[in-house]
Coordinates of all heavy atoms in Angstrom, one line a residue:
D1 N 0.8 -1.2 0.0 CA 0.0 0.0 0.0 C 0.9 1.3 0.0 O 0.3 2.4 0.1 CB -1.0 0.0 1.2 CG -0.3 0.0 2.5 OD1 0.9 0.2 2.6 OD2 -1.1 -0.1 3.5
G2 N 2.2 1.1 -0.1 CA 3.1 2.3 -0.2 C 3.4 2.9 1.2 O 4.0 4.0 1.2
T3 N 3.0 2.3 2.3 CA 3.2 3.0 3.6 C 4.5 2.5 4.3 O 4.9 3.0 5.3 CB 2.1 2.7 4.6 OG1 1.9 1.3 4.8 CG2 0.8 3.3 4.1
A4 N 5.2 1.5 3.6 CA 6.4 1.0 4.2 C 7.4 0.7 3.1 O 7.0 0.5 1.9 CB 6.1 -0.3 5.0
A5 N 8.7 0.7 3.4 CA 9.8 0.3 2.5 C 10.7 -0.7 3.2 O 10.8 -0.7 4.4 CB 10.6 1.5 2.1
V6 N 11.3 -1.5 2.4 CA 12.3 -2.4 3.0 C 13.5 -2.5 2.1 O 13.4 -2.3 0.9 CB 11.6 -3.9 3.1 CG1 11.2 -4.5 1.8 CG2 12.5 -4.8 3.9
W7 N 14.7 -2.7 2.7 CA 15.9 -2.7 1.9 C 17.0 -3.5 2.8 O 16.7 -3.9 3.9 CB 16.5 -1.3 1.6 CG 17.0 -0.6 2.9 CD1 18.2 -0.5 3.3 CD2 16.2 0.2 3.8 NE1 18.3 0.3 4.4 CE2 17.1 0.8 4.7 CE3 14.8 0.6 3.9 CZ2 16.6 1.6 5.8 CZ3 14.5 1.4 4.9 CH2 15.3 1.9 5.8
T8 N 18.0 -3.9 2.1 CA 19.2 -4.5 2.7 C 20.3 -3.5 2.8 O 20.5 -2.7 2.0 CB 19.6 -5.8 2.0 OG1 20.1 -5.4 0.6 CG2 18.5 -6.8 2.0
Q9 N 21.2 -3.8 3.8 CA 22.4 -3.0 4.0 C 23.6 -3.9 4.3 O 23.4 -4.8 5.2 CB 22.2 -2.0 5.2 CG 23.4 -1.0 5.4 CD 23.1 0.0 6.4 OE1 22.0 0.4 6.6 NE2 24.1 0.5 7.0
T10 N 24.6 -3.8 3.6 CA 25.8 -4.6 3.7 C 26.9 -3.9 4.3 O 27.2 -2.8 3.9 CB 26.2 -5.2 2.4 OG1 25.1 -5.9 1.8 CG2 27.4 -6.2 2.5
L11 N 27.5 -4.5 5.4 CA 28.6 -3.9 6.0 C 29.8 -4.9 6.1 O 29.6 -6.1 6.2 CB 28.2 -3.5 7.5 CG 27.1 -2.5 7.7 CD1 26.8 -2.4 9.2 CD2 27.6 -1.2 7.1
A12 N 31.0 -4.3 6.0 CA 32.2 -5.2 6.1 C 32.5 -5.4 7.7 O 32.4 -4.4 8.5 CB 33.4 -4.5 5.5
V13 N 32.7 -6.6 8.0 CA 33.0 -6.9 9.4 C 34.4 -7.6 9.4 O 34.7 -8.6 8.8 CB 32.0 -8.0 10.0 CG1 32.3 -8.4 11.3 CG2 30.6 -7.4 9.8
T14 N 35.3 -7.0 10.3 CA 36.6 -7.5 10.4 C 36.8 -7.7 11.9 O 36.5 -6.8 12.7 CB 37.7 -6.6 9.9 OG1 37.5 -5.3 10.5 CG2 37.6 -6.4 8.4
D15 N 37.2 -8.9 12.3 CA 37.5 -9.3 13.7 C 38.7 -10.2 13.8 O 38.6 -11.3 13.5 CB 36.3 -9.9 14.3 CG 36.4 -10.2 15.8 OD1 37.3 -9.6 16.5 OD2 35.6 -11.0 16.3
G16 N 39.9 -9.6 14.0 CA 41.1 -10.4 14.0 C 41.3 -10.9 12.7 O 41.5 -10.2 11.7
E17 N 41.4 -12.2 12.5 CA 41.7 -12.9 11.2 C 40.4 -13.0 10.3 O 40.4 -13.4 9.2 CB 42.2 -14.4 11.5 CG 43.5 -14.4 12.2 CD 44.7 -14.3 11.3 OE1 44.6 -14.8 10.2 OE2 45.7 -13.8 11.8
K18 N 39.2 -12.8 10.9 CA 37.9 -12.9 10.3 C 37.6 -11.6 9.5 O 37.7 -10.5 10.1 CB 36.8 -13.2 11.3 CG 35.5 -13.4 10.7 CD 34.5 -13.7 11.9 CE 33.1 -13.8 11.4 NZ 32.1 -14.1 12.5
S19 N 37.3 -11.8 8.2 CA 36.9 -10.6 7.5 C 35.8 -11.1 6.5 O 36.0 -12.0 5.7 CB 38.1 -10.1 6.6 OG 37.7 -9.1 5.8
E20 N 34.6 -10.5 6.5 CA 33.5 -10.9 5.7 C 32.5 -9.7 5.6 O 32.7 -8.7 6.3 CB 32.8 -12.1 6.3 CG 32.1 -11.8 7.7 CD 31.5 -13.0 8.3 OE1 31.2 -14.0 7.5 OE2 31.4 -13.1 9.5
Y21 N 31.5 -9.9 4.8 CA 30.4 -8.9 4.6 C 29.2 -9.6 5.2 O 28.9 -10.7 5.0 CB 30.2 -8.6 3.1 CG 31.3 -7.8 2.5 CD1 32.3 -8.4 1.8 CD2 31.3 -6.4 2.7 CE1 33.3 -7.7 1.2 CE2 32.3 -5.6 2.1 CZ 33.3 -6.3 1.4 OH 34.3 -5.5 0.8
L22 N 28.4 -8.8 5.9 CA 27.1 -9.2 6.5 C 26.0 -8.3 5.9 O 26.2 -7.1 6.0 CB 27.1 -9.2 8.0 CG 27.9 -10.3 8.7 CD1 27.8 -10.1 10.2 CD2 27.4 -11.7 8.3
T23 N 24.9 -8.9 5.5 CA 23.8 -8.1 5.0 C 22.6 -8.3 5.9 O 22.3 -9.5 6.3 CB 23.4 -8.6 3.6 OG1 24.6 -8.5 2.8 CG2 22.3 -7.8 3.0
H24 N 22.0 -7.2 6.3 CA 20.8 -7.3 7.2 C 19.7 -6.4 6.6 O 19.9 -5.6 5.7 CB 21.2 -6.8 8.6 CG 22.0 -7.8 9.3 ND1 21.5 -9.0 9.8 CD2 23.3 -7.8 9.7 CE1 22.4 -9.7 10.3 NE2 23.5 -9.0 10.3
I25 N 18.5 -6.7 7.1 CA 17.3 -6.1 6.5 C 16.8 -5.0 7.4 O 16.7 -5.1 8.6 CB 16.2 -7.2 6.3 CG1 16.7 -8.2 5.4 CG2 14.9 -6.6 5.9 CD1 15.8 -9.5 5.2
Y26 N 16.4 -3.9 6.8 CA 15.8 -2.7 7.4 C 14.4 -2.4 6.8 O 14.2 -2.7 5.7 CB 16.7 -1.5 7.3 CG 18.0 -1.6 7.9 CD1 19.1 -2.4 7.5 CD2 18.3 -0.9 9.1 CE1 20.3 -2.5 8.1 CE2 19.5 -1.0 9.8 CZ 20.5 -1.8 9.3 OH 21.7 -1.9 9.9
T27 N 13.6 -1.7 7.6 CA 12.3 -1.3 7.1 C 12.1 0.2 7.5 O 12.7 0.7 8.5 CB 11.2 -2.2 7.6 OG1 10.0 -1.7 6.9 CG2 10.9 -2.0 9.0
Y28 N 11.3 0.9 6.8 CA 10.9 2.3 7.1 C 9.4 2.3 7.2 O 8.7 2.1 6.2 CB 11.4 3.2 6.0 CG 11.2 4.7 6.4 CD1 12.1 5.4 7.2 CD2 10.0 5.3 6.0 CE1 11.9 6.7 7.6 CE2 9.8 6.6 6.3 CZ 10.7 7.3 7.1 OH 10.5 8.6 7.4
R29 N 8.9 2.5 8.4 CA 7.5 2.6 8.6 C 7.2 3.6 9.7 O 7.9 3.7 10.7 CB 6.9 1.2 9.1 CG 6.9 0.2 8.0 CD 6.3 -1.1 8.6 NE 4.9 -0.9 8.9 CZ 4.0 -1.8 9.0 NH1 4.3 -3.0 8.9 NH2 2.7 -1.5 9.3
G30 N 6.1 4.3 9.6 CA 5.7 5.3 10.7 C 6.8 6.3 10.9 O 6.9 6.8 12.0
G31 N 7.5 6.7 10.0 CA 8.5 7.8 10.1 C 9.8 7.4 10.7 O 10.6 8.4 11.0
R32 N 10.2 6.1 10.7 CA 11.5 5.8 11.3 C 12.0 4.5 10.6 O 11.2 3.6 10.2 CB 11.5 5.6 12.8 CG 10.6 4.5 13.3 CD 10.5 4.6 14.8 NE 9.7 3.4 15.3 CZ 10.3 2.4 15.9 NH1 11.5 2.4 16.3 NH2 9.5 1.4 16.3
A33 N 13.3 4.4 10.6 CA 14.0 3.1 10.1 C 14.2 2.2 11.2 O 14.6 2.6 12.3 CB 15.3 3.6 9.4
V34 N 14.0 0.9 11.0 CA 14.2 -0.1 12.0 C 15.0 -1.3 11.4 O 14.6 -1.7 10.3 CB 12.8 -0.6 12.5 CG1 13.0 -1.7 13.5 CG2 12.0 0.5 13.1
Q35 N 16.0 -1.7 12.1 CA 16.7 -2.9 11.7 C 16.0 -4.1 12.1 O 15.6 -4.3 13.3 CB 18.1 -2.9 12.3 CG 19.0 -4.1 11.8 CD 20.3 -4.1 12.4 OE1 20.8 -3.1 13.0 NE2 21.1 -5.1 12.1
L36 N 15.6 -5.0 11.1 CA 14.8 -6.2 11.4 C 15.6 -7.5 11.7 O 15.1 -8.3 12.4 CB 13.8 -6.4 10.3 CG 12.8 -5.4 10.0 CD1 11.9 -5.7 8.8 CD2 11.9 -5.1 11.2
T37 N 16.8 -7.6 11.1 CA 17.6 -8.8 11.3 C 18.9 -8.4 11.9 O 19.4 -7.3 11.6 CB 17.8 -9.6 10.0 OG1 18.5 -8.8 9.0 CG2 16.5 -10.0 9.4
R38 N 19.5 -9.4 12.6 CA 20.8 -9.1 13.3 C 21.5 -10.5 13.3 O 21.0 -11.5 13.0 CB 20.6 -8.6 14.7 CG 20.0 -7.3 14.8 CD 19.7 -6.9 16.3 NE 19.5 -5.5 16.5 CZ 18.5 -4.8 16.0 NH1 17.7 -5.3 15.2 NH2 18.4 -3.5 16.2
G39 N 22.7 -10.5 13.8 CA 23.4 -11.7 14.0 C 24.6 -11.9 13.1 O 25.0 -11.0 12.3
D40 N 25.2 -13.1 13.1 CA 26.4 -13.3 12.3 C 26.1 -14.1 11.0 O 27.0 -14.6 10.3 CB 27.4 -14.2 13.1 CG 26.9 -15.5 13.6 OD1 25.7 -15.8 13.4 OD2 27.7 -16.3 14.1
K41 N 24.8 -14.1 10.6 CA 24.4 -14.7 9.3 C 23.7 -13.6 8.5 O 22.8 -12.9 9.0 CB 23.5 -15.9 9.5 CG 24.1 -17.1 10.2 CD 25.3 -17.7 9.4 CE 25.8 -18.9 10.1 NZ 26.9 -19.5 9.4
S42 N 24.0 -13.5 7.3 CA 23.3 -12.5 6.4 C 21.9 -12.9 6.1 O 21.5 -14.1 6.2 CB 24.1 -12.4 5.1 OG 25.3 -11.8 5.3
A43 N 21.1 -11.9 5.8 CA 19.7 -12.1 5.4 C 19.5 -11.3 4.1 O 20.1 -10.3 3.9 CB 18.8 -11.6 6.4
G44 N 18.7 -11.8 3.2 CA 18.4 -11.1 1.9 C 17.1 -11.3 1.3 O 16.3 -12.1 1.8
A45 N 17.0 -10.8 0.1 CA 15.8 -11.0 -0.7 C 14.5 -10.7 0.0 O 13.6 -11.4 0.0 CB 15.7 -12.4 -1.4
P46 N 14.4 -9.5 0.8 CA 13.2 -9.3 1.5 C 12.0 -8.9 0.6 O 12.2 -8.2 -0.4 CB 13.6 -8.0 2.3 CG 14.7 -7.4 1.5 CD 15.4 -8.4 0.9
R47 N 10.9 -9.4 1.0 CA 9.6 -9.1 0.2 C 8.5 -9.0 1.2 O 8.4 -9.9 2.1 CB 9.3 -10.3 -0.8 CG 10.3 -10.5 -1.8 CD 10.4 -9.4 -2.9 NE 11.3 -9.7 -3.9 CZ 12.7 -9.4 -4.0 NH1 13.2 -8.9 -2.9 NH2 13.4 -9.7 -5.0
F48 N 7.5 -8.1 0.9 CA 6.3 -8.1 1.7 C 5.3 -9.1 1.1 O 5.3 -9.4 -0.1 CB 5.6 -6.7 1.6 CG 6.4 -5.6 2.3 CD1 7.0 -4.6 1.6 CD2 6.5 -5.6 3.7 CE1 7.7 -3.6 2.3 CE2 7.1 -4.6 4.4 CZ 7.8 -3.6 3.7
S49 N 4.6 -9.7 2.0 CA 3.5 -10.6 1.6 C 2.5 -9.7 0.9 O 2.4 -8.5 1.1 CB 2.9 -11.4 2.8 OG 2.3 -10.5 3.6
P50 N 1.6 -10.3 0.0 CA 0.7 -9.5 -0.8 C -0.3 -8.7 0.2 O -0.7 -7.6 -0.2 CB -0.2 -10.6 -1.6 CG 0.8 -11.7 -1.7 CD 1.6 -11.8 -0.5
D51 N -0.6 -9.2 1.4 CA -1.5 -8.5 2.3 C -0.7 -7.5 3.1 O -1.3 -6.8 3.9 CB -2.3 -9.4 3.1 CG -1.5 -10.3 4.0 OD1 -0.3 -10.2 4.0 OD2 -2.1 -11.2 4.6
G52 N 0.6 -7.5 3.1 CA 1.5 -6.6 3.8 C 1.6 -6.9 5.3 O 2.2 -6.2 6.1
K53 N 1.1 -8.1 5.7 CA 1.2 -8.5 7.1 C 2.5 -9.2 7.5 O 2.8 -9.3 8.6 CB 0.0 -9.4 7.4 CG -1.3 -8.7 7.4 CD -2.4 -9.6 7.7 CE -3.8 -8.9 7.7 NZ -4.9 -9.8 8.1
W54 N 3.2 -9.7 6.5 CA 4.5 -10.4 6.7 C 5.6 -9.9 5.9 O 5.4 -9.4 4.8 CB 4.3 -11.9 6.4 CG 3.3 -12.6 7.2 CD1 1.9 -12.7 6.9 CD2 3.4 -13.2 8.5 NE1 1.3 -13.4 7.9 CE2 2.2 -13.7 8.9 CE3 4.5 -13.3 9.3 CZ2 2.0 -14.3 10.1 CZ3 4.3 -14.0 10.5 CH2 3.0 -14.5 10.9
L55 N 6.8 -10.0 6.4 CA 8.0 -9.8 5.6 C 8.7 -11.2 5.4 O 9.0 -11.8 6.4 CB 9.0 -8.8 6.3 CG 10.2 -8.6 5.5 CD1 9.9 -7.7 4.3 CD2 11.3 -8.0 6.3
L56 N 9.0 -11.6 4.2 CA 9.6 -12.8 4.0 C 11.1 -12.5 3.5 O 11.3 -11.5 2.8 CB 8.9 -13.6 2.9 CG 7.5 -14.0 3.4 CD1 6.5 -13.1 2.8 CD2 7.2 -15.5 3.0
F57 N 12.0 -13.4 3.9 CA 13.4 -13.1 3.5 C 14.2 -14.5 3.5 O 13.7 -15.5 4.2 CB 14.1 -12.1 4.4 CG 14.3 -12.6 5.9 CD1 15.4 -13.2 6.3 CD2 13.2 -12.3 6.8 CE1 15.5 -13.6 7.6 CE2 13.3 -12.7 8.1 CZ 14.5 -13.3 8.5
T58 N 15.3 -14.5 2.9 CA 16.1 -15.7 3.0 C 17.4 -15.5 3.9 O 17.8 -14.4 4.0 CB 16.6 -16.1 1.6 OG1 17.4 -15.0 1.0 CG2 15.4 -16.4 0.6
S59 N 17.8 -16.6 4.4 CA 19.0 -16.6 5.3 C 19.5 -18.0 5.4 O 18.7 -18.9 5.4 CB 18.7 -16.0 6.7 OG 19.9 -16.0 7.5
A60 N 20.8 -18.1 5.7 CA 21.4 -19.4 5.9 C 21.7 -19.6 7.4 O 22.7 -20.1 7.8 CB 22.7 -19.6 5.2
R61 N 20.7 -19.1 8.3 CA 20.9 -19.2 9.7 C 21.1 -20.7 10.2 O 21.7 -20.9 11.2 CB 19.7 -18.6 10.4 CG 19.6 -17.1 10.1 CD 18.3 -16.6 10.7 NE 18.3 -15.2 10.5 CZ 17.4 -14.4 11.1 NH1 16.6 -14.8 11.9 NH2 17.5 -13.1 10.8
D62 N 20.5 -21.6 9.5 CA 20.5 -23.0 10.0 C 21.5 -23.8 9.2 O 21.5 -25.0 9.1 CB 19.1 -23.6 9.8 CG 18.1 -23.0 10.6 OD1 18.4 -22.4 11.7 OD2 16.9 -22.9 10.2
G63 N 22.4 -23.2 8.5 CA 23.5 -23.9 7.8 C 23.2 -24.0 6.3 O 24.1 -24.2 5.5
K64 N 21.9 -23.9 5.9 CA 21.6 -23.8 4.5 C 20.5 -22.7 4.3 O 19.8 -22.3 5.2 CB 21.0 -25.2 4.1 CG 19.8 -25.6 4.7 CD 19.3 -27.0 4.2 CE 18.0 -27.4 4.9 NZ 17.5 -28.6 4.3
N65 N 20.4 -22.3 3.1 CA 19.5 -21.2 2.8 C 18.0 -21.6 2.9 O 17.7 -22.6 2.4 CB 19.8 -20.7 1.4 CG 19.6 -19.1 1.3 OD1 19.7 -18.4 2.3 ND2 19.3 -18.7 0.1
N66 N 17.3 -20.8 3.8 CA 15.9 -21.1 4.0 C 15.1 -19.9 3.9 O 15.7 -18.8 4.0 CB 15.7 -21.7 5.4 CG 16.1 -23.1 5.5 OD1 15.6 -24.0 4.8 ND2 17.0 -23.5 6.4
L67 N 13.7 -20.0 3.9 CA 12.9 -18.9 3.8 C 12.3 -18.7 5.2 O 11.9 -19.6 5.9 CB 11.7 -19.2 2.8 CG 10.6 -18.1 2.7 CD1 11.3 -16.9 1.9 CD2 9.5 -18.6 1.8
F68 N 12.3 -17.4 5.7 CA 11.9 -17.0 7.0 C 10.8 -15.9 6.8 O 10.8 -15.2 5.7 CB 13.0 -16.4 7.8 CG 14.1 -17.4 8.2 CD1 15.1 -17.7 7.3 CD2 14.0 -18.1 9.3 CE1 16.0 -18.6 7.6 CE2 14.9 -19.1 9.7 CZ 16.0 -19.4 8.8
R69 N 10.0 -15.7 7.8 CA 9.0 -14.6 7.8 C 8.9 -13.9 9.2 O 9.0 -14.6 10.2 CB 7.6 -15.1 7.3 CG 6.9 -16.0 8.3 CD 5.5 -16.4 7.7 NE 4.8 -17.1 8.8 CZ 3.6 -17.4 8.8 NH1 2.9 -17.1 7.7 NH2 3.0 -18.1 9.8
L70 N 8.7 -12.7 9.1 CA 8.5 -11.9 10.3 C 7.1 -11.1 10.2 O 6.8 -10.6 9.2 CB 9.5 -10.8 10.4 CG 11.0 -11.2 10.7 CD1 11.9 -10.0 10.5 CD2 11.1 -11.9 12.0
P71 N 6.4 -11.0 11.3 CA 5.1 -10.3 11.3 C 5.4 -8.8 11.2 O 6.3 -8.3 11.9 CB 4.4 -10.7 12.6 CG 5.6 -11.1 13.5 CD 6.6 -11.6 12.6
M72 N 4.8 -8.1 10.4 CA 5.0 -6.6 10.3 C 4.3 -5.8 11.4 O 4.6 -4.6 11.5 CB 4.6 -6.1 8.9 CG 5.4 -6.6 7.8 SD 7.2 -6.3 8.1 CE 7.3 -4.5 8.1
D73 N 3.4 -6.4 12.2 CA 2.7 -5.7 13.2 C 3.4 -5.8 14.6 O 2.9 -5.4 15.6 CB 1.2 -6.1 13.4 CG 1.1 -7.6 13.7 OD1 2.1 -8.3 13.9 OD2 0.0 -8.0 13.8
G74 N 4.6 -6.4 14.6 CA 5.4 -6.5 15.8 C 5.3 -7.8 16.4 O 5.8 -8.1 17.4

């Protein structure tokens, strides 16, 4: 309905010998930006469900790439 936006942001992470890029999902609703995903695994390909009640995304949190969903009403 045009009241929210979703995007990914990729940051370089360096910690001692470890150097990688992590991508996380953000949304803009109600006049503010909110980070939706966190952790040491990237998330990507965010999409709103057709009714706008869910945000679906992919992540390899369980060791292989899977589809996850978050409720948009909190």
Side-chain angles (χ1 to χ4, degrees):
D1 65 4
T3 61
V6 66
W7 69 94
T8 60
Q9 184 173 332
T10 302
L11 298 172
V13 177
T14 55
D15 184 19
E17 300 271 330
K18 182 179 176 182
S19 178
E20 64 183 337
Y21 290 99
L22 288 177
T23 302
H24 287 291
I25 299 172
Y26 292 76
T27 187
Y28 186 85
R29 290 182 66 161
R32 65 187 184 111
V34 177
Q35 184 176 352
L36 296 177
T37 61
R38 291 176 166 64
D40 60 352
K41 299 293 183 181
S42 289
R47 302 289 186 270
F48 290 111
S49 63
D51 61 7
K53 293 182 180 181
W54 299 93
L55 179 76
L56 295 100
F57 65 94
T58 59
S59 179
R61 294 175 180 194
D62 300 330
K64 62 179 181 175
N65 215 24
N66 284 304
L67 184 64
F68 294 87
R69 70 178 185 169
L70 293 172
M72 290 308 298
D73 61 1

